[in-house]
Amino acid sequence: MDRTAQLITPSAARSIAYDPPRSSHSLHVRAARVLEGNWTGASTVPSRSLYPHQWSWDSAFIAIGLRHLSPLRAQTELETLLAAQWGDGRVPHIVFNPSVPLDAYFPSPDFWRSSTAGHGAGAPRTVQTSGIVQPPVHALAVWLVHRADPGLSRARGFLARMYPRLAAWHRYLLHRRDLGGGGLASVVHPWEQGMDNSPAWDLPLSRVTPAPARSFRRADLDHGSAEDRPTDLDYGRYVRLATDYRDAGYADGGGEFAVEDPAFNALLIASEHALARIAEELGAPGTARHARAERLTAALVERLWDPASGMFLCRDLRGPAQDRRGTLIPERGVSGLLPLLLPGLPRDIVTEVVRTASGPHFGLGTTTRLVPSYDLLGEAFDPHRYWRGPAWFNTAWLLERGLRTQGEHRRADALRESALELAGTTDFAEYVDPYTSEACGATGFSWTAALALDLLHSDTTVTADMGLKGGNRR
């Protein structure tokens, strides 16, 4: 029996196992083959060519899908990632595979110098990582993986081992990264938010002097079209920010870039709810964590909600404003729709966000089938260039979950159907043109395959499944 067959064959010992259709061409079998092809033995690469290491939020999404094929491998995915956690609690955005040549990806381990430059922050000595982070989906992923096979999870002590690491990760974000003083976590580099070259970053990045082009070589252009990737100018600014952060020993608070992002914080809040459920499963009260999630939801509304835009916006903490609050960035990105994940969101805000998602700026269900990453009417919109317009499958999954959380089942069902169809027709593309659904970036992309599996298998009782608590505030 080959490895893919082993993954999709149902286990007689566990009723949770998914019994797949017999067709070898079905979507779930194709998705399983993608994940098997990208498996390295301890983790899953996003793409063999373009992204040959382990990425933080990718692995969280991958584990969410893998739980339907192999709960053990899903647990291993998250264990491998969290084993590279730093002493200060941060979970690095890349864990490097030492067998991959240094020139296969930039910035490579010799750029980040984690074990030396990050020594003061507790970077591990036995593995090389980056020094920045990515969105905190991890507690949510751990909870969902546990629910896929609670017996296996308990036998392996999975939650008991993950909980202290996740608690330290949240503590780092809530304390070290509260750079605006309002309770929300800030990102200190565009790569941390995950939507690397979003137009929301253009204004804060414009204040950053780019690193000289001769000082680095972009390996990404060896595998992707320059028209689809960030520009050289943007890359120079990314390199400058990362260099300055590294040279400061990865200390937080002193850099030129600090932004409060709605999706990053919504995922932190959702994961705080999930961490409460994990605590309860381990026999501890989760009340304080649920209460913290509710306070963070209130802070998210107070600091990032913009009634005029009908959605949440990013807050630039290094802008020209004289006080510490910074200024809202007037760019509509998909990030501002993702707080729909939160059950405590006020009902009037939910109504406005759903209206914005389905209106002319994003066209969901009318002019687009998957939500674009950026405002269709924005001056910077580009249907092919990375996060400046294309539609991504991870944001589709998050929005589908958010719509379902808010009781918008008809819209959620339509988005689920579109995501599944386009994952199959594009060979699990990294992202797609929001108008034509043309595949862009890499194909055989791991989180696309994993989240397609999850959409195939998940029921519609999303709030309980995701560890969320409560309903909408009226």
Side-chain angles (χ1 to χ4, degrees):
M1 182 181 291
D2 65 26
R3 288 287 299 135
T4 303
Q6 290 176 353
L7 280 175
I8 64 174
T9 298
S11 167
R14 293 200 307 269
S15 61
I16 195 71
Y18 179 71
D19 190 6
R22 299 299 179 187
S23 169
S24 62
H25 301 292
S26 64
L27 185 65
H28 86 277
V29 172
R30 292 171 55 205
R33 286 175 177 156
V34 168
L35 295 175
E36 180 59 28
N38 289 341
W39 175 247
T40 67
S43 63
T44 309
V45 298
S47 162
R48 281 288 179 184
S49 58
L50 192 54
Y51 305 105
H53 301 285
Q54 183 180 26
W55 261 258
S56 173
W57 76 326
D58 290 73
S59 277
F61 289 127
I62 289 164
I64 288 169
L66 270 177
R67 67 189 175 122
H68 301 290
L69 300 175
S70 170
L72 177 59
R73 203 166 98 181
Q75 291 179 29
T76 302
E77 184 82 37
L78 294 166
E79 290 163 352
T80 300
L81 176 68
L82 289 171
Q85 185 174 25
W86 289 28
D88 64 2
R90 81 182 74 194
V91 176
H93 98 295
I94 302 175
V95 180
F96 290 105
N97 182 342
S99 68
V100 173
L102 287 178
D103 62 358
Y105 182 82
F106 178 84
S108 52
D110 58 343
F111 172 87
W112 294 104
R113 305 172 198 165
S114 60
S115 60
T116 53
H119 175 71
R125 292 185 175 276
T126 57
V127 64
Q128 293 297 308
T129 75
S130 65
I132 59 175
V133 303
Q134 274 191 325
V137 200
H138 310 90
L140 177 58
V142 165
W143 175 248
L144 292 176
V145 168
H146 163 76
R147 282 178 59 86
D149 191 337
L152 176 68
S153 174
R154 292 170 186 139
R156 298 186 69 246
F158 177 61
L159 293 186
R161 288 182 289 109
M162 294 296 99
Y163 182 83
R165 292 185 175 274
L166 294 169
W169 170 219
H170 286 207
R171 190 161 52 247
Y172 167 78
L173 293 173
L174 292 169
H175 294 281
R176 301 287 186 91
R177 288 300 188 89
D178 182 12
L179 304 181
L184 299 182
S186 300
V187 295
V188 299
H189 194 291
W191 288 339
E192 292 199 312
Q193 194 267 356
M195 304 176 191
D196 300 11
N197 66 328
S198 166
W201 315 136
D202 289 355
L203 180 60
L205 278 177
S206 68
R207 301 189 295 268
V208 177
T209 302
R214 64 182 180 277
S215 66
F216 61 93
R217 177 188 174 275
R218 295 181 58 179
D220 62 317
L221 298 182
D222 295 341
H223 306 286
S225 168
E227 289 73 25
D228 291 351
R229 305 291 298 169
T231 65
D232 286 343
L233 177 61
D234 284 338
Y235 231 87
R237 287 170 169 150
Y238 303 153
V239 171
R240 171 69 68 189
L241 284 173
T243 300
D244 290 349
Y245 192 40
R246 178 198 68 198
D247 293 348
Y250 296 110
D252 294 310
E256 294 180 83
F257 186 99
V259 175
E260 293 174 351
D261 173 76
F264 192 99
N265 281 282
L267 289 168
L268 175 59
I269 296 166
S271 279
E272 190 69 16
H273 278 300
L275 200 55
R277 296 292 295 271
I278 293 171
E280 292 164 358
E281 173 69 20
L282 293 172
T287 309
R289 291 201 176 274
H290 282 307
R292 181 181 294 122
E294 291 169 2
R295 291 195 300 271
L296 288 169
T297 300
L300 184 76
V301 171
E302 196 272 328
R303 292 183 66 81
L304 304 185
W305 171 247
D306 182 51
S309 300
M311 64 185 300
F312 293 85
L313 300 179
C314 296
R315 183 174 290 276
D316 180 6
L317 299 178
R318 297 288 186 263
Q322 296 303 306
D323 62 30
R324 197 181 179 195
R325 286 181 56 85
T327 54
L328 291 178
I329 299 171
E331 297 286 1
R332 292 179 172 91
V334 67
S335 171
L337 306 177
L338 299 185
L340 286 175
L341 282 166
L342 306 178
L345 213 57
R347 190 68 229 177
D348 58 332
I349 289 180
V350 169
T351 300
E352 285 300 308
V353 174
V354 172
R355 181 180 294 123
T356 299
S358 55
H361 292 286
F362 293 93
L364 186 63
T366 53
T367 56
T368 65
R369 299 186 63 193
L370 299 185
V371 64
S373 51
Y374 176 65
D375 185 356
L376 297 170
L377 306 181
E379 291 184 7
F381 174 78
D382 185 328
H384 279 201
R385 192 178 290 277
Y386 220 43
W387 288 97
R388 302 181 78 84
W392 292 70
F393 289 89
N394 67 326
T395 54
W397 182 86
L398 290 168
L399 187 57
E400 191 269 352
R401 301 283 85 183
L403 289 168
R404 212 170 288 287
T405 295
Q406 304 303 338
E408 295 284 342
H409 296 288
R410 179 181 58 81
R411 287 187 169 92
D413 288 344
L415 181 52
R416 175 181 181 274
E417 180 180 344
S418 293
L420 288 171
E421 180 183 337
L422 295 180
T425 58
T426 63
D427 192 21
F428 305 101
E430 186 178 1
Y431 51 97
V432 300
D433 182 310
Y435 285 125
T436 67
S437 301
E438 174 190 351
C440 302
T443 55
F445 201 71
S446 289
W447 78 25
T448 304
L451 296 176
L453 281 169
D454 193 63
L455 290 173
L456 275 173
H457 300 192
S458 296
D459 62 28
T460 58
T461 57
V462 61
T463 301
D465 188 48
M466 292 180 71
L468 302 178
K469 179 180 180 180
N472 300 107
R473 297 202 302 271
R474 298 290 173 176

